Amino acid sequence: MNVSKIAALSLLGIVGLTASTANAGLPVPPTPTCEHRFDWPDDPAAHVLNGPLDGSFDYDFLGSAIANVSGAYSADTMSLWWDVAFAQSAYIVDTAVTGGGMVGLDGDLMVGMTTTITDSQGRVWEENVRRMRSGCDEQRILEPTTLGLSHTGTWSAGRYDYEEQRPLAKNHSVTTLIADVVGTLYPDGSSEAVASYYQSGQEANTSITVTEQRNLDGERWTHLELSSLDAARQYDTYVAPDGTITQEGYFGYDPQWDYSVTRDYAGFGEGWMESGDTEQYCYLEIGVVCTRTCWILEEIEEYQEELEEEQGIEWEFEFGMYVDGLPPDDVDNYCNSALFEDYAVLPY
């Protein structure tokens, strides 16, 4: 073994260990400083350990959304990079990471990383994170620090529990609302988090709670509760691996509207909203131009009876919509923009 190789292995934390005959002379990884740590897509130590222990890696990761993870860590320059390739049907198409620092094969870290995430619509998110891990305890800082993300976590049997402060996300964008987040990662690739935001004052009294679950198959489940001086909102959202969003819930105080919408990741879809207070029903067409076609429920029933008398046929009636035939003329071509809010812990 030459001097440069010894220096490299020293920085990787594996110098002085005997070679493994089962691995054709490759060094044996040291005993982890935390026996509870498990692999996760943003963990450089996990990636290096899944390679031939020369710093390079190229392998398939847990979950159906991620197709491949490939990259390298150089102990000589203390630089690292990797790229995550996703399944063809996934709404995230690429994640690229560059950075540098100390990556120990015992699991300890002291690195700075820039992560760039690109989706199928060309949206790009970038995060700069300093990450420090010693044993089972971890700390992260999001740069610039004015945006928040003070993160502390602990690896224990079968889970990683953390607390952090980070900006809430809304419609794939980062907001200025800094939330307190409590979350957990699990070895099977699932995660859960609860983000809470509260603002009080003479002119503002807003509370937002987002409960979120994700997995490495690309699925997300979100439950939101929002209340303020002049509004209320609650909904459940499911995001499929291809980015299709289904959301059901209600908004408003007086009147209150119940609604259900489904749209693809490009933003096209349909749905309905109904108010028991005003006895109105609206059919929604979601696209570049979003239209809301509304009727008074009583008028719909009267219109249905008139058609049956005039045409001598029976009309089917579902959720206030005519299945056969054209609905009444549009009486409202405005879609409430608040209807399509999608709060989440992460923007992607």
Side-chain angles (χ1 to χ4, degrees):
M1 182 179 292
N2 58 40
V3 174
S4 63
K5 184 65 172 179
I6 293 176
L9 294 179
S10 178
L11 283 172
L12 283 171
I14 52 179
V15 92
L17 295 173
T18 59
S20 168
T21 55
N23 289 324
L26 293 176
V28 177
T31 301
T33 57
C34 178
E35 62 178 340
H36 303 303
R37 188 189 59 78
F38 46 84
D39 291 355
W40 204 257
D42 65 353
D43 193 331
H47 295 328
V48 173
L49 281 168
N50 277 285
L53 303 186
D54 61 357
S56 66
F57 47 92
D58 187 343
Y59 68 107
D60 296 336
F61 201 82
L62 177 69
S64 60
I66 298 176
N68 177 265
V69 180
S70 60
Y73 171 70
S74 169
D76 291 325
T77 62
M78 300 187 74
S79 62
L80 64 93
W81 70 272
W82 73 82
D83 188 78
V84 181
F86 290 82
Q88 188 173 4
S89 60
Y91 64 92
I92 300 296
V93 297
D94 181 72
T95 294
V97 180
T98 58
M102 189 281 291
V103 178
L105 289 189
D106 58 5
D108 285 357
L109 294 172
M110 186 174 291
V111 296
M113 304 187 302
T114 297
T115 302
T116 304
I117 299 170
T118 305
D119 74 357
S120 60
Q121 297 302 303
R123 285 183 286 251
V124 177
W125 302 274
E126 184 175 287
E127 280 194 351
N128 299 292
V129 178
R130 285 186 287 154
R131 185 169 177 180
M132 295 143 282
R133 182 167 67 211
S134 177
C136 294
D137 297 322
E138 186 160 336
Q139 180 181 3
R140 304 181 195 182
I141 301 173
L142 179 68
E143 302 288 354
T145 55
T146 53
L147 288 180
L149 188 54
S150 58
H151 171 117
T152 57
T154 301
W155 303 81
S156 58
R159 58 194 295 148
Y160 173 71
D161 296 304
Y162 65 90
E163 295 183 3
E164 67 183 21
Q165 287 187 316
R166 70 154 52 239
L168 274 179
K170 174 184 172 183
N171 296 347
H172 307 296
S173 297
V174 177
T175 72
T176 58
L177 309 179
I178 305 299
D180 294 316
V181 182
V182 177
T184 303
L185 311 180
Y186 297 102
D188 64 358
S190 62
S191 64
E192 57 187 20
V194 178
S196 303
Y197 167 82
Y198 181 74
Q199 180 186 27
S200 61
Q202 188 173 3
E203 297 182 357
N205 189 3
T206 301
S207 172
I208 301 174
T209 302
V210 178
T211 303
E212 184 174 289
Q213 295 177 308
R214 294 178 181 245
N215 61 34
L216 294 183
D217 293 328
E219 296 176 295
R220 167 167 65 88
W221 295 263
T222 303
H223 176 76
L224 174 133
E225 296 182 9
L226 180 153
S227 64
S228 64
L229 293 177
D230 58 357
R233 184 171 177 78
Q234 183 170 307
Y235 62 69
D236 292 292
T237 299
Y238 169 68
V239 180
D242 64 357
T244 299
I245 296 176
T246 301
Q247 189 178 102
E248 296 183 351
Y250 72 81
F251 66 93
Y253 276 132
D254 186 18
Q256 175 179 301
W257 289 86
D258 299 314
Y259 71 93
S260 176
V261 295
T262 299
R263 62 189 189 277
D264 60 24
Y265 197 64
F268 293 87
E270 62 179 359
W272 59 265
M273 52 191 288
E274 182 175 346
S275 172
D277 298 330
T278 61
E279 295 190 341
Q280 282 184 299
Y281 172 88
C282 298
Y283 170 68
L284 308 171
E285 291 182 277
I286 307 166
V288 176
V289 177
C290 187
T291 61
R292 186 178 72 183
T293 306
C294 299
W295 310 274
I296 302 297
L297 293 176
E298 183 178 352
E299 293 178 354
I300 295 178
E301 295 170 356
E302 292 175 355
Y303 185 71
Q304 178 187 12
E305 293 174 358
E306 291 176 4
L307 287 175
E308 290 177 350
E309 286 184 14
E310 291 176 2
Q311 301 180 12
I313 61 175
E314 183 175 345
W315 288 71
E316 296 182 16
F317 192 71
E318 293 185 1
F319 304 111
M321 290 172 53
Y322 292 107
V323 178
D324 300 316
L326 296 174
D329 294 337
D330 287 3
V331 294
D332 188 0
N333 290 324
Y334 170 74
C335 276
N336 190 327
S337 61
L339 182 64
F340 307 109
E341 290 178 352
D342 179 25
Y343 279 98
V345 177
L346 300 173
Y348 40 81

